[in-house]
DNA sequence: CGAGTTATTGATCGCGATCAACATGGGTGG
DNA sequence: CCACCCATGTTGATCGCGATCAATAACTCG
C-alpha cells in the first residue's frame, strides 16, 4: 500500500502558487510583499521533485547538495532503529525546511522520507546564496524559521519524555493542528493526515498497539475522529487539555514586532 | 545545599582567557586567529554575571534582552513539571550559547538555570550587531553553532524516547563526555560533573530512584565512577556500547572544510 | 545541632510492551 | 476479474521495566 493520498496533487486545485505554504510560514516572521512572494515562487520552482510514500529525500550518512523544502505532503526525519522500526524525531509539513544543516554537516545524521507522497523543492548552494543576496528579507525569515524549528524540537523532547501515552499522542495532534493552521490547511477542525498508527507510535515513543488503544479512547470520548487519512478534532479544548498543550513555544508573534525589535546575526 | 563546586572559579587557575571555551567551540567551525580571539574575549568580558546553583539566567514567560553564553559551569533549560520536578530539555556547557532565539521570541518558552554555579556572559542586541559587523567570521561560526545545537537537540529527542533506562543514562554521559572533550575539559576520562541524580533523572525522563539503580549497575560493571561531583569513565568502549552512542551527529568536521564549501544564509 | 537536600535500598504496583490472533482493504499478478 | 499478498488496524492476554511508596543514611549549610 502506498498511501499516496489521491488528492495530494490537487489539494489546492493547482491554483495556489507553488510556494504558498512557504510564503504563509515566512509571513509569520516577516511580511512579504507581492514581489518577494513572486521571487520566492521562482526560486522554489526551479527544482521540484515529486516523491512517493516512504521515498527518501535524504539518506543518513550522505552529504546533501541542497536543502529541501516541503511544498505539498509531509515528510519525517528519523533514524533506523535496527529492528525495522523508525525513530521519528521531526515531522515536516508544507512550508517547512527539512535540513537547515544541509551545507554544514559532512554527513546527515538522520534520514528524511516522504510520508504519503510529497512535493519538495530543492535549493542548492548557489541558488541559496543568490537568494540571500537578492532577497535579504526572505533569507532573514529563513533564519527565524530555523529558530522556530528548534523550539518545536525542544517541545518534542519534552513530549517524548516521561509522560502518559494519551497526553503524548494528544500533544502531537495539537501541534500538527496548530502548525497546519498556520499555513491554512485546517478546515473546520479537519485536516489531511497521512500518518499511520505506526508512524504515530514512532513519533511518540510508543508501540502501535498502544497507540491504537489511545486512539480508541480519544474517539470514545468524542474528542476526535481519525479515519481514511483524515483527522477531525471535534473538541479542541478537551484535546489541548488532555495534551497539556501550550502553543506559546511557537515564536510567531512577529506581526507585533517593530523593526527596532529585529533580531541580529542575520544576513545584511 | 548549594552545590557550588569549590573550584569552579579556579578550574583553569584564572589563567585561561575568559572566552577560552567559546573560542575552542567556535574553532571547530571556523578557525579563529589571535585578533579574533582577542575581540571575542573583549565582547564576552563586557557583561559577565556570576550565578549560584539553581539561579535563573532566564525565566519562562519573559522576553530576554540579551543572549547568554556559558563561560564556566553548567546550565540547564527546563520547564516546570507542576510537581516541583523539572523537565530538562537541554544542558549548556562552557562555550555554549543558551538562547539563540533570545531576540526572536516575545517570551521564553522555557527557563534556564545555572547548575552548581556558573559564570555567564550576556550580549545585548547592539553588542551582537556590532560583533556581526566587525567580526563576520565569529558571527558566522555562531550561526553554525546554532545548527550544531539543533543536532544535539534531535539526539536528545531520540534518547529520551522509548529506550531502556541504562542506555538513556549512558548516552547522556557519553554526550557530555564528548562535548566537554571538545572544549578541553576532560582529563584522563575524568570530568567535573555538577548534576545530581535528580538532574540526571529530569534530563533522561526517569525517576531519581531508578537513576540511582542504573548508576549502581554501571559502577558494578566497572564502567564509571561518579562521586563528589566528578565523573570518571573507566571503560569508554563499554560506555558507548551500552549507550548506542554515535558521535557523528556533531557537525564538527569543519577543519577539513574548504572555503568553497562554506554554508550560506550567513551574515556577509 | 537541627533542617533540608541528596543518596541509597527494599517492597509493591501499574502502565505500556510484548505476544498472538484476526479483520480489512488496496494493489498486484495470474 | 479473481486470488493472493502484505501493510495496516483492532482486540485480548500476559509480562516486565520502571514508577511509586517508604525508610534510612550521609552530608551541607544555617
Amino acid at each position: 500500500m502506498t498511501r499516496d493520498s489521491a488528492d495530494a496533487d490537487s489539494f489546492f486545485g493547482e491554483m495556489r502558487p507553488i510556494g504558498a505554504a512557504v510564503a504563509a510560514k515566512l509571513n509569520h516572521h516577516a511580511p512579504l510583499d507581492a514581489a518577494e512572494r513572486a521571487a520566492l515562487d521562482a526560486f522554489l520552482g526551479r527544482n521540484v521533485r515529486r516523491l512517493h510514500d516512504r521515498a527518501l529525500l535524504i539518506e543518513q550518512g550522505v552529504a546533501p547538495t541542497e536543502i529541501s523544502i516541503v511544498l505539498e505532503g509531509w515528510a519525517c526525519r528519523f533514524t533506523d532503529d535496527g529492528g525495522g522500526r523508525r525513530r521519528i524525531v521531526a515531522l515536516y509539513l508544507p512550508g517547512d525546511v527539512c535540513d537547515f544543516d544541509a551545507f554544514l554537516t559532512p554527513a546527515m545524521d538522520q534520514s528524511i522520507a516522504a510520508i504519503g507522497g510529497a512535493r519538495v523543492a530543492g535549493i542548492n548552494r548557489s541558488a541559496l546564496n543568490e537568494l540571500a543576496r537578492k532577497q535579504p528579507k526572505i533569507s532573514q525569515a529563513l533564519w527565524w524559521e530555523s529558530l522556530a524549528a528548534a523550539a518545536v524540537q525542544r517541545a518534542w523532547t519534552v513530549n517524548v519524555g516521561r509522560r502518559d501515552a494519551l497526553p503524548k499522542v494528544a500533544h502531537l495532534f495539537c501541534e500538527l493542528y496548530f502548525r497546519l493552521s498556520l499555513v491554512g490547511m485546517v478546515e473546520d477542525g479537519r485536516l489531511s493526515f497521512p500518518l499511520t498508527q505506526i508512524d504515530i507510535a514512532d513519533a511518540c515513543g510508543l508501540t502501535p498497539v498502544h497507540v491504537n488503544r489511545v486512539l480508541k479512547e480519544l474517539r470514545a470520548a468524542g474528542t476526535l475522529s481519525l479515519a481514511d487519512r483524515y483527522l477531525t478534532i471535534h473538541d479542541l479544548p478537551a484535546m489541548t487539555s488532555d495534551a497539556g498543550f501550550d502553543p506559546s513555544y511557537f515564536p510567531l508573534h512577529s506581526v507585533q514586532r517593530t523593526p527596532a525589535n529585529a533580531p541580529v546575526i542575520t544576513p545584511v
Side-chain angles (χ1 to χ4, degrees), chain A:
Chain A
M1 177 186 172
T2 59
R3 257 196 292 157
D4 297 88
S5 57
D7 53 352
D9 298 338
S10 56
F11 191 90
F12 295 114
E14 300 285 9
M15 306 297 282
R16 258 172 92 147
I18 207 169
V22 184
K25 282 212 72 166
L26 297 188
N27 216 46
H28 287 286
H29 299 302
L32 305 179
D33 61 32
E36 285 159 342
R37 283 166 178 267
L40 181 61
D41 261 23
F43 272 99
L44 293 174
R46 287 188 192 175
N47 176 17
V48 176
R49 282 187 292 165
R50 188 175 301 272
L51 298 164
H52 62 267
D53 184 40
R54 299 221 152 215
L56 288 176
L57 270 91
I58 305 169
E59 195 167 0
Q60 188 168 1
V62 175
T65 59
E66 56 184 30
I67 67 170
S68 298
I69 301 181
V70 178
L71 301 178
E72 269 184 55
W74 296 17
C76 66
R77 186 173 190 132
F78 66 97
T79 53
D80 206 315
D81 197 346
R85 285 279 292 282
R86 311 192 283 188
R87 249 180 240 289
I88 297 179
V89 296
L91 286 174
Y92 301 112
L93 311 179
D96 287 348
V97 179
C98 297
D99 46 358
F100 282 103
D101 53 342
F103 299 138
L104 175 60
T105 65
M108 285 292 288
D109 56 332
Q110 285 136 350
S111 297
I112 301 180
I115 295 181
R119 228 160 35 130
V120 176
I123 302 189
N124 63 28
R125 186 174 286 114
S126 66
L128 196 52
N129 274 325
E130 186 187 341
L131 182 68
R133 201 174 59 249
K134 291 185 181 169
Q135 301 290 341
K137 207 207 282 184
I138 292 177
S139 88
Q140 188 189 49
L142 283 173
W143 153 257
W144 286 335
E145 249 306 287
S146 81
L147 295 180
V152 170
Q153 195 67 52
R154 285 192 297 268
W156 274 53
T157 306
V158 172
N159 189 48
V160 135
R162 211 182 62 63
R163 305 182 74 195
D164 289 340
L166 191 139
K168 279 187 184 180
V169 175
H171 196 281
L172 175 66
F173 288 178
C174 284
E175 185 190 294
L176 293 172
Y177 181 95
F178 190 88
R179 287 168 62 186
L180 287 170
S181 294
L182 290 176
V183 290
M185 295 187 69
V186 178
E187 275 181 90
D188 299 327
R190 186 164 175 274
L191 54 97
S192 172
F193 194 87
L195 298 182
T196 65
Q197 293 183 5
I198 296 171
D199 296 328
I200 298 170
D202 291 341
C204 292
L206 299 167
T207 55
V209 175
H210 203 69
V211 165
N212 184 281
R213 290 183 171 124
V214 166
L215 290 178
K216 189 180 176 182
E217 201 173 334
L218 287 169
R219 277 191 274 248
T223 310
L224 59 75
S225 303
L226 177 54
D228 302 326
R229 309 295 166 208
Y230 274 89
L231 170 67
T232 308
I233 309 291
H234 296 124
D235 189 344
L236 189 58
M239 195 76 181
T240 56
S241 165
D242 283 346
F245 181 77
D246 173 10
S248 66
Y249 63 89
F250 292 94
L252 290 171
H253 310 297
S254 56
V255 179
Q256 319 144 356
R257 188 168 295 132
T258 65
N261 212 359
V264 272
I265 319 190
T266 53
V268 185

